[in-house]
Amino acid sequence: MNRKLAVSVLATGLFLTGMGTAFATASDGTTGAAEARAAWKGIPTLNSGGVQFKDAKYKFEPSHVNKGAFHWKGNLRDADHGDGHNVYMQVRVEGYGWGRFNGKQKKTVWLDKLSYDGAALHTDDASIRACRDRGSLHPDNCSVTKSYHR
């Protein structure tokens, strides 16, 4: 009987110590390492004939925020109003094909998007590029592809 009592007292003590540590860590107001790594970083202006993605930033969200997504934002601009073509962004995260995010002809649109792998705890690798849709008879033209790693 004394052994069972000692084990239960020890387990309760360990549990309460863990809870106290978790509470103190969560409420001390300091920025953790995950939040520090999640700071916004600049994306250079992506240009190709007729399309421009500028004033852009990205960050990798922490695992517990927005599914650990690759978060990106910026201004997608139709740089050639007379060509009659639309513009779009392509973003790819590890293990998936390119996702498409459309802009507007003859306009600049603000895009603020999350791209992630729903089956993973967080996204480690992502690639992004700006493209101009030239229709079905001509291949689309895209900027250089920028790749980022958490």
Side-chain angles (χ1 to χ4, degrees), residues 5 9 14 20 35 46 49 65 102 106 131 139:
L5 180 62
V9 167
L14 289 173
E35 284 83 11
L46 302 176
V65 177
N102 289 326
K106 302 180 184 179
C131 300

Side-chain angles (χ1 to χ4, degrees), residues 36-116:
R37 284 192 304 272
W40 288 101
K41 297 175 181 88
I43 297 174
T45 299
L46 302 176
N47 286 302
S48 187
V51 62
Q52 186 179 60
F53 187 58
K54 60 183 187 170
D55 305 322
K57 298 177 184 178
Y58 79 94
K59 70 177 177 176
F60 286 97
E61 297 285 2
S63 298
H64 62 282
V65 177
N66 293 323
K67 301 177 183 175
F70 175 66
H71 190 170
W72 57 276
K73 59 185 176 180
N75 288 302
L76 178 60
R77 177 176 171 252
D78 182 355
D80 186 355
H81 294 188
D83 68 0
H85 298 297
N86 198 4
V87 295
Y88 62 95
M89 292 299 298
Q90 284 189 321
V91 179
R92 177 176 60 195
V93 296
E94 54 198 304
Y96 288 88
W98 290 100
R100 181 175 170 142
F101 303 88
N102 289 326
K104 302 256 186 212
Q105 281 185 359
K106 302 180 184 179
K107 296 191 180 199
T108 299
V109 296
W110 174 256
L111 296 175
D112 186 348
K113 303 290 183 181
L114 298 166
S115 299
Y116 57 89

